[in-house]
Each structure stands twice: as C-alpha cells, then as structure tokens.
Amino acid sequence: YDQFNADNQLLLKKYPAEVLANIYCRYQDFLIKDLEFGFGIYDILGTHHQFIQPYNSGHAPLPDRSREFIVKFAYQF
C-alpha cells in the first residue's frame, strides 16, 4: 500500500518480500595437494535487491549488485 499526504506526496510505500539465493562450491586438494578451487553464483534468481532506507531520507532505495559469478583458485604454502 502507498500513503500520500494532502499535497499528494508519497509518504510510505510498501515493498514486497524478496528471496535471495546464493551458492558457492569449494574443492580442496584439487589436482595438487594444498590447491583449492571454488566457484559460485550470487543472486541466482536475479531479484535485483534494493537497500530501503529505514528513515525518511528523501531519496529512492539504493540498488545492490546484480547477478555475480565467482571463480577462485588458492594455494596454501
């Protein structure tokens, strides 16, 4: 629901609930001892999350990052 004042300015706006889904997989001792390989996907469902201000700041919600793909290699000396 949206609430407006007498000058027809938006005071409150209700935002729907969102589902954020992330996945990350990691393999240790990958091909070589002490080598680590990992990959992941963040925001799998493409919700385009927004950070809503908890107070009346006068500006729109701030956007978060979109879908992100991660590939990681690490070696432990």
Side-chain angles (χ1 to χ4, degrees):
Y1 60 89
D2 295 344
Q3 291 184 359
F4 298 90
N5 66 7
D7 296 330
N8 206 22
Q9 294 175 328
L10 182 62
L11 295 177
L12 294 174
K13 180 175 182 171
K14 185 172 183 169
Y15 289 88
E18 296 176 342
V19 175
L20 297 176
N22 303 324
I23 189 168
Y24 187 82
C25 298
R26 183 180 78 159
Y27 297 100
Q28 290 179 314
D29 296 332
F30 180 70
L31 300 177
I32 301 171
K33 185 174 175 4
D34 296 329
L35 180 65
E36 180 181 308
F37 169 73
F39 65 92
I41 305 171
Y42 299 140
D43 193 16
I44 294 171
L45 303 174
T47 57
H48 304 291
H49 178 72
Q50 295 180 340
F51 295 103
I52 301 168
Q53 301 301 312
Y55 48 86
N56 187 6
S57 62
H59 60 80
L62 301 172
D64 193 10
R65 296 174 291 198
S66 60
R67 186 172 294 131
E68 186 175 353
F69 298 92
I70 307 280
V71 175
K72 177 181 174 182
F73 282 97
Y75 184 76
Q76 183 91 19
F77 290 100

